[in-house]
Amino acid sequence: MKRSRGFAISMVYPIMRAIRQKGMDFEQFCRQVSLDHRMLEDAEARIDDAEMMRLMEEAAVYTRDEHFGLHKGQLTDIADMGILGYVLTHSGKIADALSAYKRYNIILCSGYNLNWEERGDRMRLRFFKSDGAPMSRQCLEDMVSSVYHLIVRLCHRTVAVRELCFTHEAPADTAPYLSAFGVVPRFGEEEAVLSLDKEVWQYPILYANPKLRNTFESIAEET
């Protein structure tokens, strides 16, 4: 599998959507932060890690939304994920979808990934950067939020969060986490963790087609 560096340009689309959903001007944002919005027309374009972190921080300031990453993650759509999104959609169970995410996430954002372990009747998802460096708050909350809400959309069921931990310090307002996850996280922890019931891994993905998964997975391997 070829190693793609940085973030796929499609990862900027939810930033655009989040800004526009707030009734704000995305083109003005691009001018303000010196982002060439024409890059969004190039499906093969990528931006590096530092630039994505900068855009997320700038978007939080521009929208006056301290929880921008959290809210952006809620808006992330399967379509934003390109070929990986199609593989996830046609995986048989949530366990298969998460395995595909772990394997092919490099297509979208190299260096950011997840792993999990079984703890009694729960599965403990851990989010990290492969180089061991800490994630920025906005990027970490975006990733955790997007993965959780993608799981919910894929299985079309209520998914209770049993534990949620972030490595950064707690913001003044923690109410948005309760709205997004149903729980208030613990902050300042050593690892970023999302814990769900073990049975969630066995939830079927509605409308999954094994033949289509094989087709899309072969494309993902080539990519």
Side-chain angles (χ1 to χ4, degrees), residues 42-73:
D42 180 4
E44 300 300 317
R46 296 185 77 85
I47 60 176
D48 65 27
D49 185 18
E51 177 67 355
M52 176 57 88
M53 286 193 291
R54 184 183 77 87
L55 291 178
M56 291 290 288
E57 296 298 332
E58 293 279 12
V61 172
Y62 182 73
T63 59
R64 299 182 181 86
D65 181 2
E66 182 188 12
H67 301 86
F68 183 83
L70 181 72
H71 295 143
K72 172 183 173 291

PDB file of all heavy atoms in Angstrom, residues 42-73:
ATOM      1  N   ASP A  42      -9.441  19.951  -6.531  1.00  0.00           N
ATOM      2  CA  ASP A  42      -8.484  18.900  -6.895  1.00  0.00           C
ATOM      3  C   ASP A  42      -8.653  17.724  -5.940  1.00  0.00           C
ATOM      4  O   ASP A  42      -8.188  17.763  -4.803  1.00  0.00           O
ATOM      5  CB  ASP A  42      -7.054  19.452  -6.825  1.00  0.00           C
ATOM      6  CG  ASP A  42      -6.007  18.402  -7.195  1.00  0.00           C
ATOM      7  OD1 ASP A  42      -6.391  17.277  -7.574  1.00  0.00           O
ATOM      8  OD2 ASP A  42      -4.808  18.719  -7.084  1.00  0.00           O
ATOM      9  N   ALA A  43      -9.317  16.675  -6.404  1.00  0.00           N
ATOM     10  CA  ALA A  43      -9.622  15.534  -5.545  1.00  0.00           C
ATOM     11  C   ALA A  43      -8.374  14.827  -5.032  1.00  0.00           C
ATOM     12  O   ALA A  43      -8.425  14.128  -4.010  1.00  0.00           O
ATOM     13  CB  ALA A  43     -10.499  14.535  -6.304  1.00  0.00           C
ATOM     14  N   GLU A  44      -7.236  15.013  -5.710  1.00  0.00           N
ATOM     15  CA  GLU A  44      -6.001  14.340  -5.306  1.00  0.00           C
ATOM     16  C   GLU A  44      -5.135  15.195  -4.388  1.00  0.00           C
ATOM     17  O   GLU A  44      -4.091  14.736  -3.905  1.00  0.00           O
ATOM     18  CB  GLU A  44      -5.185  13.967  -6.563  1.00  0.00           C
ATOM     19  CG  GLU A  44      -5.905  13.034  -7.525  1.00  0.00           C
ATOM     20  CD  GLU A  44      -6.269  11.711  -6.875  1.00  0.00           C
ATOM     21  OE1 GLU A  44      -5.423  11.159  -6.140  1.00  0.00           O
ATOM     22  OE2 GLU A  44      -7.395  11.229  -7.082  1.00  0.00           O
ATOM     23  N   ALA A  45      -5.534  16.429  -4.139  1.00  0.00           N
ATOM     24  CA  ALA A  45      -4.714  17.336  -3.326  1.00  0.00           C
ATOM     25  C   ALA A  45      -4.653  16.866  -1.880  1.00  0.00           C
ATOM     26  O   ALA A  45      -5.588  16.230  -1.371  1.00  0.00           O
ATOM     27  CB  ALA A  45      -5.278  18.754  -3.395  1.00  0.00           C
ATOM     28  N   ARG A  46      -3.541  17.184  -1.207  1.00  0.00           N
ATOM     29  CA  ARG A  46      -3.375  16.868   0.210  1.00  0.00           C
ATOM     30  C   ARG A  46      -2.753  18.070   0.907  1.00  0.00           C
ATOM     31  O   ARG A  46      -2.066  18.875   0.278  1.00  0.00           O
ATOM     32  CB  ARG A  46      -2.484  15.627   0.403  1.00  0.00           C
ATOM     33  CG  ARG A  46      -3.080  14.352  -0.180  1.00  0.00           C
ATOM     34  CD  ARG A  46      -2.233  13.146   0.145  1.00  0.00           C
ATOM     35  NE  ARG A  46      -2.386  12.679   1.501  1.00  0.00           N
ATOM     36  CZ  ARG A  46      -3.342  11.843   1.915  1.00  0.00           C
ATOM     37  NH1 ARG A  46      -4.239  11.399   1.068  1.00  0.00           N
ATOM     38  NH2 ARG A  46      -3.399  11.442   3.172  1.00  0.00           N
ATOM     39  N   ILE A  47      -3.033  18.190   2.191  1.00  0.00           N
ATOM     40  CA  ILE A  47      -2.405  19.234   2.995  1.00  0.00           C
ATOM     41  C   ILE A  47      -1.706  18.566   4.170  1.00  0.00           C
ATOM     42  O   ILE A  47      -2.116  17.488   4.609  1.00  0.00           O
ATOM     43  CB  ILE A  47      -3.422  20.277   3.493  1.00  0.00           C
ATOM     44  CG1 ILE A  47      -4.510  19.622   4.355  1.00  0.00           C
ATOM     45  CG2 ILE A  47      -4.071  21.004   2.313  1.00  0.00           C
ATOM     46  CD1 ILE A  47      -5.480  20.615   4.952  1.00  0.00           C
ATOM     47  N   ASP A  48      -0.649  19.193   4.660  1.00  0.00           N
ATOM     48  CA  ASP A  48       0.119  18.526   5.711  1.00  0.00           C
ATOM     49  C   ASP A  48      -0.541  18.692   7.081  1.00  0.00           C
ATOM     50  O   ASP A  48      -1.491  19.458   7.253  1.00  0.00           O
ATOM     51  CB  ASP A  48       1.575  18.989   5.707  1.00  0.00           C
ATOM     52  CG  ASP A  48       1.744  20.465   6.050  1.00  0.00           C
ATOM     53  OD1 ASP A  48       0.886  21.026   6.759  1.00  0.00           O
ATOM     54  OD2 ASP A  48       2.750  21.052   5.595  1.00  0.00           O
ATOM     55  N   ASP A  49      -0.010  17.950   8.033  1.00  0.00           N
ATOM     56  CA  ASP A  49      -0.576  17.887   9.376  1.00  0.00           C
ATOM     57  C   ASP A  49      -0.627  19.269  10.024  1.00  0.00           C
ATOM     58  O   ASP A  49      -1.648  19.668  10.597  1.00  0.00           O
ATOM     59  CB  ASP A  49       0.278  16.927  10.209  1.00  0.00           C
ATOM     60  CG  ASP A  49      -0.278  16.687  11.604  1.00  0.00           C
ATOM     61  OD1 ASP A  49      -1.466  16.980  11.825  1.00  0.00           O
ATOM     62  OD2 ASP A  49       0.471  16.204  12.465  1.00  0.00           O
ATOM     63  N   ALA A  50       0.475  20.003   9.927  1.00  0.00           N
ATOM     64  CA  ALA A  50       0.530  21.322  10.562  1.00  0.00           C
ATOM     65  C   ALA A  50      -0.510  22.268   9.975  1.00  0.00           C
ATOM     66  O   ALA A  50      -1.127  23.060  10.697  1.00  0.00           O
ATOM     67  CB  ALA A  50       1.929  21.916  10.413  1.00  0.00           C
ATOM     68  N   GLU A  51      -0.730  22.174   8.655  1.00  0.00           N
ATOM     69  CA  GLU A  51      -1.703  23.045   8.004  1.00  0.00           C
ATOM     70  C   GLU A  51      -3.127  22.692   8.444  1.00  0.00           C
ATOM     71  O   GLU A  51      -3.955  23.572   8.673  1.00  0.00           O
ATOM     72  CB  GLU A  51      -1.569  22.935   6.490  1.00  0.00           C
ATOM     73  CG  GLU A  51      -2.574  23.752   5.691  1.00  0.00           C
ATOM     74  CD  GLU A  51      -2.405  25.266   5.807  1.00  0.00           C
ATOM     75  OE1 GLU A  51      -1.541  25.729   6.606  1.00  0.00           O
ATOM     76  OE2 GLU A  51      -3.133  25.993   5.114  1.00  0.00           O
ATOM     77  N   MET A  52      -3.418  21.398   8.571  1.00  0.00           N
ATOM     78  CA  MET A  52      -4.752  21.004   9.030  1.00  0.00           C
ATOM     79  C   MET A  52      -4.989  21.478  10.458  1.00  0.00           C
ATOM     80  O   MET A  52      -6.070  22.002  10.790  1.00  0.00           O
ATOM     81  CB  MET A  52      -4.924  19.488   8.941  1.00  0.00           C
ATOM     82  CG  MET A  52      -6.265  18.994   9.498  1.00  0.00           C
ATOM     83  SD  MET A  52      -7.707  19.747   8.687  1.00  0.00           S
ATOM     84  CE  MET A  52      -7.941  18.617   7.308  1.00  0.00           C
ATOM     85  N   MET A  53      -3.999  21.330  11.324  1.00  0.00           N
ATOM     86  CA  MET A  53      -4.144  21.807  12.699  1.00  0.00           C
ATOM     87  C   MET A  53      -4.380  23.320  12.717  1.00  0.00           C
ATOM     88  O   MET A  53      -5.213  23.819  13.477  1.00  0.00           O
ATOM     89  CB  MET A  53      -2.913  21.441  13.525  1.00  0.00           C
ATOM     90  CG  MET A  53      -2.829  19.972  13.885  1.00  0.00           C
ATOM     91  SD  MET A  53      -1.589  19.622  15.171  1.00  0.00           S
ATOM     92  CE  MET A  53      -0.076  19.957  14.267  1.00  0.00           C
ATOM     93  N   ARG A  54      -3.650  24.034  11.852  1.00  0.00           N
ATOM     94  CA  ARG A  54      -3.826  25.485  11.774  1.00  0.00           C
ATOM     95  C   ARG A  54      -5.237  25.839  11.321  1.00  0.00           C
ATOM     96  O   ARG A  54      -5.883  26.727  11.900  1.00  0.00           O
ATOM     97  CB  ARG A  54      -2.806  26.081  10.806  1.00  0.00           C
ATOM     98  CG  ARG A  54      -2.845  27.615  10.732  1.00  0.00           C
ATOM     99  CD  ARG A  54      -1.862  28.136   9.706  1.00  0.00           C
ATOM    100  NE  ARG A  54      -2.331  27.971   8.346  1.00  0.00           N
ATOM    101  CZ  ARG A  54      -3.111  28.849   7.699  1.00  0.00           C
ATOM    102  NH1 ARG A  54      -3.519  29.962   8.308  1.00  0.00           N
ATOM    103  NH2 ARG A  54      -3.481  28.626   6.449  1.00  0.00           N
ATOM    104  N   LEU A  55      -5.720  25.156  10.283  1.00  0.00           N
ATOM    105  CA  LEU A  55      -7.066  25.444   9.775  1.00  0.00           C
ATOM    106  C   LEU A  55      -8.132  25.187  10.830  1.00  0.00           C
ATOM    107  O   LEU A  55      -9.094  25.954  10.957  1.00  0.00           O
ATOM    108  CB  LEU A  55      -7.350  24.607   8.525  1.00  0.00           C
ATOM    109  CG  LEU A  55      -6.563  24.957   7.264  1.00  0.00           C
ATOM    110  CD1 LEU A  55      -6.922  24.000   6.139  1.00  0.00           C
ATOM    111  CD2 LEU A  55      -6.819  26.396   6.843  1.00  0.00           C
ATOM    112  N   MET A  56      -7.974  24.109  11.589  1.00  0.00           N
ATOM    113  CA  MET A  56      -8.947  23.801  12.631  1.00  0.00           C
ATOM    114  C   MET A  56      -8.947  24.878  13.713  1.00  0.00           C
ATOM    115  O   MET A  56     -10.010  25.313  14.180  1.00  0.00           O
ATOM    116  CB  MET A  56      -8.640  22.425  13.234  1.00  0.00           C
ATOM    117  CG  MET A  56      -8.898  21.269  12.288  1.00  0.00           C
ATOM    118  SD  MET A  56     -10.666  20.993  11.976  1.00  0.00           S
ATOM    119  CE  MET A  56     -11.177  20.320  13.550  1.00  0.00           C
ATOM    120  N   GLU A  57      -7.761  25.303  14.120  1.00  0.00           N
ATOM    121  CA  GLU A  57      -7.678  26.349  15.143  1.00  0.00           C
ATOM    122  C   GLU A  57      -8.236  27.671  14.614  1.00  0.00           C
ATOM    123  O   GLU A  57      -8.952  28.388  15.314  1.00  0.00           O
ATOM    124  CB  GLU A  57      -6.222  26.529  15.591  1.00  0.00           C
ATOM    125  CG  GLU A  57      -5.616  25.314  16.277  1.00  0.00           C
ATOM    126  CD  GLU A  57      -6.317  24.941  17.560  1.00  0.00           C
ATOM    127  OE1 GLU A  57      -6.901  25.831  18.218  1.00  0.00           O
ATOM    128  OE2 GLU A  57      -6.290  23.741  17.915  1.00  0.00           O
ATOM    129  N   GLU A  58      -7.901  27.992  13.361  1.00  0.00           N
ATOM    130  CA  GLU A  58      -8.402  29.229  12.752  1.00  0.00           C
ATOM    131  C   GLU A  58      -9.916  29.193  12.611  1.00  0.00           C
ATOM    132  O   GLU A  58     -10.598  30.206  12.812  1.00  0.00           O
ATOM    133  CB  GLU A  58      -7.747  29.446  11.388  1.00  0.00           C
ATOM    134  CG  GLU A  58      -6.255  29.726  11.417  1.00  0.00           C
ATOM    135  CD  GLU A  58      -5.951  31.182  11.742  1.00  0.00           C
ATOM    136  OE1 GLU A  58      -6.865  31.912  12.167  1.00  0.00           O
ATOM    137  OE2 GLU A  58      -4.784  31.578  11.561  1.00  0.00           O
ATOM    138  N   ALA A  59     -10.469  28.021  12.270  1.00  0.00           N
ATOM    139  CA  ALA A  59     -11.919  27.891  12.122  1.00  0.00           C
ATOM    140  C   ALA A  59     -12.621  28.080  13.461  1.00  0.00           C
ATOM    141  O   ALA A  59     -13.696  28.674  13.525  1.00  0.00           O
ATOM    142  CB  ALA A  59     -12.266  26.525  11.526  1.00  0.00           C
ATOM    143  N   ALA A  60     -12.003  27.578  14.537  1.00  0.00           N
ATOM    144  CA  ALA A  60     -12.583  27.763  15.870  1.00  0.00           C
ATOM    145  C   ALA A  60     -12.638  29.242  16.229  1.00  0.00           C
ATOM    146  O   ALA A  60     -13.623  29.720  16.812  1.00  0.00           O
ATOM    147  CB  ALA A  60     -11.761  26.986  16.902  1.00  0.00           C
ATOM    148  N   VAL A  61     -11.593  29.981  15.859  1.00  0.00           N
ATOM    149  CA  VAL A  61     -11.552  31.423  16.133  1.00  0.00           C
ATOM    150  C   VAL A  61     -12.552  32.155  15.242  1.00  0.00           C
ATOM    151  O   VAL A  61     -13.314  33.011  15.702  1.00  0.00           O
ATOM    152  CB  VAL A  61     -10.125  31.978  15.909  1.00  0.00           C
ATOM    153  CG1 VAL A  61     -10.118  33.502  16.009  1.00  0.00           C
ATOM    154  CG2 VAL A  61      -9.162  31.374  16.919  1.00  0.00           C
ATOM    155  N   TYR A  62     -12.555  31.799  13.948  1.00  0.00           N
ATOM    156  CA  TYR A  62     -13.421  32.483  12.972  1.00  0.00           C
ATOM    157  C   TYR A  62     -14.897  32.328  13.320  1.00  0.00           C
ATOM    158  O   TYR A  62     -15.687  33.272  13.203  1.00  0.00           O
ATOM    159  CB  TYR A  62     -13.147  31.914  11.577  1.00  0.00           C
ATOM    160  CG  TYR A  62     -13.941  32.551  10.468  1.00  0.00           C
ATOM    161  CD1 TYR A  62     -13.658  33.838  10.014  1.00  0.00           C
ATOM    162  CD2 TYR A  62     -14.976  31.853   9.839  1.00  0.00           C
ATOM    163  CE1 TYR A  62     -14.383  34.421   8.986  1.00  0.00           C
ATOM    164  CE2 TYR A  62     -15.710  32.423   8.812  1.00  0.00           C
ATOM    165  CZ  TYR A  62     -15.401  33.706   8.388  1.00  0.00           C
ATOM    166  OH  TYR A  62     -16.134  34.280   7.362  1.00  0.00           O
ATOM    167  N   THR A  63     -15.278  31.140  13.757  1.00  0.00           N
ATOM    168  CA  THR A  63     -16.688  30.871  14.071  1.00  0.00           C
ATOM    169  C   THR A  63     -17.045  31.193  15.527  1.00  0.00           C
ATOM    170  O   THR A  63     -18.202  31.058  15.914  1.00  0.00           O
ATOM    171  CB  THR A  63     -17.018  29.388  13.806  1.00  0.00           C
ATOM    172  OG1 THR A  63     -16.172  28.563  14.616  1.00  0.00           O
ATOM    173  CG2 THR A  63     -16.826  29.037  12.338  1.00  0.00           C
ATOM    174  N   ARG A  64     -16.031  31.554  16.293  1.00  0.00           N
ATOM    175  CA  ARG A  64     -16.205  31.795  17.731  1.00  0.00           C
ATOM    176  C   ARG A  64     -16.812  30.558  18.419  1.00  0.00           C
ATOM    177  O   ARG A  64     -17.665  30.662  19.299  1.00  0.00           O
ATOM    178  CB  ARG A  64     -17.083  33.028  17.985  1.00  0.00           C
ATOM    179  CG  ARG A  64     -16.506  34.326  17.426  1.00  0.00           C
ATOM    180  CD  ARG A  64     -17.406  35.509  17.766  1.00  0.00           C
ATOM    181  NE  ARG A  64     -16.874  36.751  17.211  1.00  0.00           N
ATOM    182  CZ  ARG A  64     -17.098  37.186  15.975  1.00  0.00           C
ATOM    183  NH1 ARG A  64     -17.866  36.455  15.164  1.00  0.00           N
ATOM    184  NH2 ARG A  64     -16.584  38.316  15.555  1.00  0.00           N
ATOM    185  N   ASP A  65     -16.357  29.407  17.979  1.00  0.00           N
ATOM    186  CA  ASP A  65     -16.852  28.139  18.507  1.00  0.00           C
ATOM    187  C   ASP A  65     -15.684  27.388  19.132  1.00  0.00           C
ATOM    188  O   ASP A  65     -14.870  26.769  18.434  1.00  0.00           O
ATOM    189  CB  ASP A  65     -17.486  27.308  17.388  1.00  0.00           C
ATOM    190  CG  ASP A  65     -18.050  25.981  17.882  1.00  0.00           C
ATOM    191  OD1 ASP A  65     -17.983  25.714  19.100  1.00  0.00           O
ATOM    192  OD2 ASP A  65     -18.549  25.209  17.041  1.00  0.00           O
ATOM    193  N   GLU A  66     -15.594  27.434  20.433  1.00  0.00           N
ATOM    194  CA  GLU A  66     -14.511  26.760  21.145  1.00  0.00           C
ATOM    195  C   GLU A  66     -14.525  25.253  20.902  1.00  0.00           C
ATOM    196  O   GLU A  66     -13.508  24.576  21.011  1.00  0.00           O
ATOM    197  CB  GLU A  66     -14.623  27.051  22.647  1.00  0.00           C
ATOM    198  CG  GLU A  66     -13.513  26.448  23.478  1.00  0.00           C
ATOM    199  CD  GLU A  66     -13.748  26.575  24.970  1.00  0.00           C
ATOM    200  OE1 GLU A  66     -14.881  26.927  25.358  1.00  0.00           O
ATOM    201  OE2 GLU A  66     -12.808  26.315  25.737  1.00  0.00           O
ATOM    202  N   HIS A  67     -15.709  24.710  20.557  1.00  0.00           N
ATOM    203  CA  HIS A  67     -15.871  23.272  20.347  1.00  0.00           C
ATOM    204  C   HIS A  67     -15.991  22.945  18.853  1.00  0.00           C
ATOM    205  O   HIS A  67     -16.698  22.014  18.466  1.00  0.00           O
ATOM    206  CB  HIS A  67     -17.105  22.772  21.095  1.00  0.00           C
ATOM    207  CG  HIS A  67     -17.048  23.022  22.570  1.00  0.00           C
ATOM    208  ND1 HIS A  67     -17.451  24.214  23.134  1.00  0.00           N
ATOM    209  CD2 HIS A  67     -16.618  22.246  23.598  1.00  0.00           C
ATOM    210  CE1 HIS A  67     -17.291  24.151  24.447  1.00  0.00           C
ATOM    211  NE2 HIS A  67     -16.785  22.976  24.748  1.00  0.00           N
ATOM    212  N   PHE A  68     -15.285  23.692  18.019  1.00  0.00           N
ATOM    213  CA  PHE A  68     -15.429  23.519  16.570  1.00  0.00           C
ATOM    214  C   PHE A  68     -15.116  22.092  16.141  1.00  0.00           C
ATOM    215  O   PHE A  68     -15.844  21.507  15.330  1.00  0.00           O
ATOM    216  CB  PHE A  68     -14.517  24.500  15.831  1.00  0.00           C
ATOM    217  CG  PHE A  68     -14.672  24.435  14.333  1.00  0.00           C
ATOM    218  CD1 PHE A  68     -15.688  25.132  13.694  1.00  0.00           C
ATOM    219  CD2 PHE A  68     -13.821  23.645  13.561  1.00  0.00           C
ATOM    220  CE1 PHE A  68     -15.857  25.046  12.318  1.00  0.00           C
ATOM    221  CE2 PHE A  68     -13.980  23.558  12.188  1.00  0.00           C
ATOM    222  CZ  PHE A  68     -14.991  24.262  11.563  1.00  0.00           C
ATOM    223  N   GLY A  69     -14.022  21.503  16.627  1.00  0.00           N
ATOM    224  CA  GLY A  69     -13.664  20.142  16.228  1.00  0.00           C
ATOM    225  C   GLY A  69     -14.741  19.138  16.587  1.00  0.00           C
ATOM    226  O   GLY A  69     -15.074  18.256  15.788  1.00  0.00           O
ATOM    227  N   LEU A  70     -15.289  19.268  17.771  1.00  0.00           N
ATOM    228  CA  LEU A  70     -16.369  18.397  18.223  1.00  0.00           C
ATOM    229  C   LEU A  70     -17.558  18.482  17.278  1.00  0.00           C
ATOM    230  O   LEU A  70     -18.119  17.456  16.855  1.00  0.00           O
ATOM    231  CB  LEU A  70     -16.780  18.805  19.633  1.00  0.00           C
ATOM    232  CG  LEU A  70     -17.890  18.009  20.307  1.00  0.00           C
ATOM    233  CD1 LEU A  70     -17.387  16.632  20.704  1.00  0.00           C
ATOM    234  CD2 LEU A  70     -18.414  18.759  21.533  1.00  0.00           C
ATOM    235  N   HIS A  71     -17.947  19.701  16.932  1.00  0.00           N
ATOM    236  CA  HIS A  71     -19.102  19.904  16.056  1.00  0.00           C
ATOM    237  C   HIS A  71     -18.808  19.484  14.624  1.00  0.00           C
ATOM    238  O   HIS A  71     -19.667  18.916  13.942  1.00  0.00           O
ATOM    239  CB  HIS A  71     -19.538  21.374  16.107  1.00  0.00           C
ATOM    240  CG  HIS A  71     -20.038  21.787  17.457  1.00  0.00           C
ATOM    241  ND1 HIS A  71     -19.807  23.029  18.009  1.00  0.00           N
ATOM    242  CD2 HIS A  71     -20.758  21.096  18.399  1.00  0.00           C
ATOM    243  CE1 HIS A  71     -20.364  23.095  19.207  1.00  0.00           C
ATOM    244  NE2 HIS A  71     -20.952  21.950  19.459  1.00  0.00           N
ATOM    245  N   LYS A  72     -17.598  19.739  14.157  1.00  0.00           N
ATOM    246  CA  LYS A  72     -17.221  19.301  12.803  1.00  0.00           C
ATOM    247  C   LYS A  72     -17.302  17.782  12.695  1.00  0.00           C
ATOM    248  O   LYS A  72     -17.762  17.231  11.695  1.00  0.00           O
ATOM    249  CB  LYS A  72     -15.824  19.773  12.463  1.00  0.00           C
ATOM    250  CG  LYS A  72     -15.256  19.212  11.155  1.00  0.00           C
ATOM    251  CD  LYS A  72     -13.838  19.673  10.919  1.00  0.00           C
ATOM    252  CE  LYS A  72     -13.192  18.984   9.721  1.00  0.00           C
ATOM    253  NZ  LYS A  72     -12.927  17.550   9.963  1.00  0.00           N
ATOM    254  N   GLY A  73     -16.839  17.082  13.743  1.00  0.00           N
ATOM    255  CA  GLY A  73     -16.888  15.624  13.728  1.00  0.00           C
ATOM    256  C   GLY A  73     -18.302  15.094  13.581  1.00  0.00           C
ATOM    257  O   GLY A  73     -18.533  14.089  12.905  1.00  0.00           O
TER     258      GLY A  73
END
